[in-house]
Amino acid sequence: SGQVRVGAALEQRLREIEVAVDDADEQRTGAVAGVQLVDVRPAVEQRQAAVQLRAVARESPANAKIQYLLGSILFEEKNSKEAADCFSKTILLEPGFEPAYHDLAAAQINLDQTKEALETLGRTRFHVWEGEGGIHSVYVAARLGRGRRLLARGEAAAALEEFRSAAAIPAN
């Protein structure tokens, strides 16, 4: 039927977009002999992917993968507000998908919502293997941000506690 073909076409386009995003991420984050590679993905391609994903999200608003991919692109475009909205929708649609919690917390930190970021991180698990660049660095950034704000308000004892908390990985 026509609806099945539209669904199949939609799924095919989503796979193409996902592969393009994954390939671009590998190019952006890959390292050779310990040297970080430069982002070679043109901004135009990223904007086009965001436009296409927005269209797909309108057609399939209950697809967590689409919401997450769109949020990832928006986050890279420094659009933390819309990215946070997409990551929040991803969590509502697929509560067990932990990367959405990590990315939502990172977006919340960019929006200067460190309290909310820590609450978001409190809803997921920390894994020892994640290390630098994973949930741990998001947690540290949130704690340090809260500590700096407390220190600026003259609450040195509370700030010190936040700074100490940043140095420890919380228990699951």
Side-chain angles (χ1 to χ4, degrees):
S1 77
Q3 192 172 27
V4 171
R5 270 191 266 142
V6 170
L10 186 63
E11 284 299 317
Q12 176 61 30
R13 186 62 192 132
L14 178 58
R15 281 192 294 277
E16 291 169 4
I17 291 169
E18 187 174 7
V19 166
V21 170
D22 288 346
D23 288 349
D25 282 345
E26 285 177 19
Q27 290 174 348
R28 180 178 54 79
T29 60
V32 176
V35 177
Q36 189 71 26
L37 297 179
V38 177
D39 186 359
V40 296
R41 175 180 34 188
V44 172
E45 287 179 22
Q46 190 169 344
R47 281 192 299 274
Q48 288 173 343
V51 167
Q52 291 172 343
L53 279 170
R54 279 190 172 104
V56 173
R58 280 190 298 275
E59 293 177 31
S60 298
N63 188 315
K65 184 182 284 188
I66 292 169
Q67 295 295 333
Y68 182 74
L69 288 172
L70 179 56
S72 297
I73 289 173
L74 292 169
F75 186 81
E76 286 184 25
E77 291 179 343
K78 310 287 188 241
N79 187 341
S80 295
K81 171 86 173 87
E82 283 188 73
D85 291 342
C86 290
F87 296 138
S88 293
K89 289 175 187 174
T90 302
I91 292 168
L92 287 173
L93 295 167
E94 196 173 321
F97 186 61
E98 290 188 10
Y101 292 89
H102 307 175
D103 294 342
L104 174 57
Q108 289 168 323
I109 289 169
N110 288 347
L111 294 169
D112 203 26
Q113 299 173 338
T114 54
K115 180 180 178 189
E116 292 84 353
L118 289 169
E119 290 170 0
T120 298
L121 291 174
R123 296 167 43 203
T124 188
R125 296 178 53 87
F126 282 73
H127 301 284
V128 175
W129 52 264
E130 286 179 299
E132 190 61 35
I135 188 173
H136 183 255
S137 60
V138 174
Y139 174 80
V140 169
R143 288 288 180 194
L144 292 176
R146 282 191 65 184
R148 284 191 294 271
R149 273 197 298 289
L150 288 166
L151 193 57
R153 290 194 315 236
E155 300 177 42
L160 181 59
E161 191 58 38
E162 290 295 331
F163 296 144
R164 286 184 176 147
S165 294
I169 296 175
N172 286 317

